[in-house]
Amino acid sequence: MASELIVNGRPHRLPDDPRVSLLDYLRHDLGLTGTKKGCDHGQCGACTVIVNGLRINSCLSLAVMHDGDQITTIEGLGTPEAPSPLQRAFLAHDGFQCGYCTPGQICSATAMLDEIANGWPSDASASLEGRFEPTGEEIRERMSGNLCRCGAYANIVAAIADVATESDA
Amino acid sequence: MRAFDYRRAHSPEDAARLTQAPEAMLIAGGTNLLDLMKLQVETPELLADIGRIGFAEIIDTDDGGLSIGALATNTAVAIHPRVRRDYPVLARAILAGATQQLRNRATTGGNLCQRTRCFYFTDIDQPCNKREPGSGCGAIGGVNKLHAVLGASDHCIATYPGDMAVAMAALDARVIIGAADGQQRSVPVRDFHRLPGDTPWRDNVLDPGEVILAVELPAPLEGMQIYRKVRERSSYAFALVSIAAVIAVENGAITRAELAFGGLAHKPWHDPRISELLVGSAPSAELFDRAADLLLESAEGQGDNDFKIPLARRALHAVLAQVMEQAA
Ligand SMILES: Cc1cc2nc3c(=O)[nH]c(=O)nc-3n(C[C@H](O)[C@H](O)[C@H](O)COP(=O)(O)OP(=O)(O)OC[C@H]3O[C@@H](n4cnc5c(N)ncnc54)[C@H](O)[C@@H]3O)c2cc1C
Ligand code: SF4
Ligand code: FES
Ligand code: FES
């Protein structure tokens, strides 16, 4: 059994205590405090990270369950000097107020754009087959796992729509 | 969270062996169990992680059906080409539940075994016969908006909260269950969950040391497939009432009507009399009213949840409207 997990391209040792959630492991053990703890119960999405290409709530996972997994956090998506397209768009559109939900929103949206590109349907899709357009309705449904207490939703959706249509072209 | 030992199981038999003791539990995606462990509603001393035992495949069966491995995630099932084409009610039910982040972790076995969302069950300071046998039921006479109107008992009025299993009940799928000695048994989804009776701590028919291996869907059924979920907001909420329906209409008459209901009981509710009533008749508001009469014959509100009785009837009419529209 591998006793490491890979975070933003770097291997790290698993914690000894199996109780440590992936979220606490990232924040406390690795000091990657970009990933936020909102509810700690899977309800808010502030803790969203990308594991082996899929977005998940890191609060409802144990770090030890992820040996060998590839984990990308907000720190792995871009830097202040070289932001990712979504990071740039959130700035351009004021896609936040306090910013607490933002890392989760951006990790979530990053994976969501891949899901649309891969032809995954959502509850808002009229048909289960075909190509899914990043309409406002689709984006809102697909991002429903990321709450924003500041209510910056309109700008969040605008930022994501911008990048979605850009990468479409 | 209480301290526990963590082991990775290497096979279902291994997992079954590790969880023969009552203090041991299986963990798959962890999205329900870890939530409850943080609340100390669940306090296992040993967790057997089945995340890497395999059994995540979705494969065609010899009779034209589909076998969904217990570790297949909700996402993997909902995006599978055959599920989308042949079992759209299942894809729709899954997509109507939780969020993409949760569905990416949630597994088929874990989803079937997810526990009730009763507020008293999840608050260890409250009485609850399901969590602590004999302590009483806080929900009876308490806050019970989410609770059951069918099949409840004096000991527990909780509902099974999931969506996926409601669609599987309409499709008459089977749960394949394995034990430590490699023996297997299979149970219809319709009989997998139990009514609370006087043993509400048992949600389903699994015995300690049994592991769900797969869910088998029968060959696809002709007809329209509909999943209708009524909830308090348009996304990311548990069902107040849900209906999974496979309905075929030929020459103006219903030739198949397999319906299952979520949010009403301790299990996905399936009443064979509804199919008997509907098949052979032309779909009409009057006919669906009679179906609702049958469904709700023994329904009993608990106060806060009285609204579920008329809501179930309205939801059934909304399904009828969809059928008429699609049949036209
Ligand atoms: C905020 C939130 C919203 C949600 N909304 C919805 C919703 O709208 N609709 C819905 O249906 N669900 C919803 N869910 C529930 C979610 O679908 C479940 O948490 C998930 O399906 C559980 O799967 P898991 O693999 O993570 O299970 P785990 O948490 O790993 O396990 C759950 C239980 O199943 C047992 N178990 C797991 N696998 C097996 C197996 N193979 N054999 C025997 N026992 C097994 C475990 O021992 C445990 O008791 C929601 C959850 C959250 C946190
Ligand atoms: S309804 Fe069932 S789960 Fe809820 S408090 Fe009563 S016994 Fe517990
Ligand atoms: S902190 Fe994980 S979902 Fe809220
Ligand atoms: S910006 Fe404050 S919570 Fe979203």
Side-chain angles (χ1 to χ4, degrees):
Chain A
M1 169 169 134
S3 54
E4 294 184 336
L5 45 69
I6 319 290
V7 181
N8 301 330
R10 293 223 191 105
H12 293 278
R13 243 177 62 89
L14 292 174
D16 294 327
D17 187 340
R19 283 178 295 182
V20 177
S21 69
L22 179 60
L23 172 60
D24 288 343
Y25 175 75
L26 293 169
R27 288 181 56 84
H28 298 162
D29 295 20
L30 304 189
L32 293 170
T33 52
T35 308
K36 301 297 186 224
K37 184 185 284 190
C39 64
D40 214 21
H41 286 280
Q43 297 169 358
C44 74
C47 66
T48 303
V49 299
I50 302 171
V51 176
N52 302 333
L54 298 175
R55 49 176 164 157
I56 72 162
N57 305 102
S58 60
C59 68
L60 288 188
S61 240
L62 299 171
V64 289
M65 295 168 82
H66 290 282
D67 54 295
D69 283 351
Q70 298 272 353
I71 294 158
T72 304
T73 68
I74 188 72
E75 291 90 346
L77 289 178
T79 60
E81 297 72 39
S84 77
L86 275 162
Q87 287 172 325
R88 204 188 312 259
F90 268 66
L91 282 169
H93 286 269
D94 267 340
F96 47 82
Q97 283 182 33
C98 75
Y100 197 80
C101 71
T102 314
Q105 300 278 3
I106 293 179
C107 282
S108 195
T110 301
M112 187 209 68
L113 294 180
D114 289 341
E115 292 156 12
I116 293 185
N118 291 335
W120 295 10
S122 85
D123 192 39
S125 310
S127 162
L128 292 170
E129 315 271 354
R131 233 177 98 95
F132 303 101
E133 298 301 328
T135 61
E137 201 193 344
E138 280 280 4
I139 292 174
R140 281 191 291 275
E141 165 59 29
R142 290 170 187 268
M143 292 296 293
S144 64
N146 292 85
L147 305 187
C148 173
R149 288 299 294 270
C150 299
Y153 294 111
N155 295 355
I156 292 171
V157 172
I160 296 171
D162 223 20
V163 178
T165 41
E166 224 171 78
S167 52
D168 230 30
Chain B
M1 203 185 286
R2 300 270 185 84
F4 56 86
D5 283 331
Y6 172 86
R7 304 270 175 81
R8 254 199 201 288
H10 300 291
S11 66
E13 293 78 22
D14 194 23
R17 204 176 31 74
L18 284 168
T19 52
Q20 243 138 19
E23 313 77 50
M25 289 184 81
L26 299 171
I27 186 165
T31 59
N32 188 226
L33 183 53
L34 292 172
D35 194 359
L36 294 173
M37 284 171 64
K38 289 181 187 195
L39 298 167
Q40 300 197 11
V41 171
E42 303 273 25
T43 52
E45 289 172 18
L46 177 101
L47 279 188
D49 186 348
I50 53 175
R52 306 248 169 104
I53 61 169
F55 291 83
E57 278 161 17
I58 303 173
I59 40 182
D60 295 341
T61 58
D62 293 341
D63 65 356
L66 199 62
S67 171
I68 300 171
L71 275 302
T73 63
N74 280 181
T75 295
V77 177
I79 67 169
H80 191 274
R82 274 208 67 202
V83 175
R84 287 199 250 178
R85 189 188 72 208
D86 296 336
Y87 309 98
V89 66
L90 178 57
R92 286 284 176 194
I94 291 173
L95 292 173
T99 65
Q100 188 69 49
Q101 287 101 310
L102 289 161
R103 294 192 297 269
N104 284 345
R105 281 298 286 173
T107 65
T108 302
N111 193 303
L112 280 174
C113 297
Q114 67 176 295
R115 309 217 63 192
T116 185
R117 295 274 156 176
C118 171
F119 321 114
Y120 300 89
F121 173 72
T122 52
D123 180 347
I124 57 167
D125 294 328
Q126 300 291 332
C128 170
N129 288 326
K130 187 184 275 300
R131 177 171 33 74
E132 208 177 308
S135 64
C137 170
I140 297 177
V143 176
N144 50 38
K145 186 176 65 182
L146 298 177
H147 291 73
V149 294
L150 290 171
S153 75
D154 295 344
H155 302 273
C156 177
I157 59 171
T159 48
Y160 170 75
D163 293 291
M164 179 196 82
V166 180
M168 287 175 170
L171 292 167
D172 201 11
R174 298 185 75 86
V175 187
I176 314 298
I177 300 168
D181 58 6
Q183 293 284 328
Q184 293 186 11
R185 65 181 178 123
S186 114
V187 178
V189 168
R190 292 172 184 175
D191 300 329
F192 177 75
H193 297 93
R194 306 171 59 254
L195 290 180
D198 54 12
T199 52
W201 51 91
R202 292 199 61 194
D203 292 350
N204 57 51
V205 301
L206 283 183
D207 287 322
E210 282 192 315
V211 180
I212 299 173
L213 304 176
V215 172
E216 281 185 13
L217 304 177
L221 302 173
E222 290 284 326
M224 304 165 225
Q225 299 192 11
I226 295 168
Y227 190 70
R228 189 163 190 95
K229 178 173 179 178
V230 188
R231 44 188 160 174
E232 285 184 304
R233 50 177 187 228
S234 64
S235 186
Y236 197 10
F238 285 92
L240 295 169
V241 173
S242 71
I243 304 181
V246 183
I247 299 184
V249 180
E250 268 170 52
N251 303 321
I254 296 174
T255 54
R256 168 174 291 119
E258 293 297 338
L259 282 84
F261 300 83
L264 298 180
H266 200 258
K267 58 186 289 188
W269 194 261
H270 175 265
D271 183 338
R273 296 175 308 165
I274 293 177
S275 170
E276 282 161 32
L277 170 77
L278 294 176
V279 169
S281 301
S284 70
E286 192 263 325
L287 180 69
F288 272 61
D289 249 333
R290 275 166 49 214
D293 289 342
L294 263 187
L295 169 72
L296 299 165
E297 196 176 59
S298 62
E300 221 180 304
Q302 300 284 339
D304 294 347
N305 70 350
D306 294 350
F307 71 92
K308 282 190 178 181
I309 299 172
L311 185 60
R313 183 179 296 271
R314 282 207 302 281
L316 202 51
H317 277 285
V319 166
L320 167 72
Q322 253 173 287
V323 168
M324 302 291 261
E325 197 187 295
Q326 289 184 33

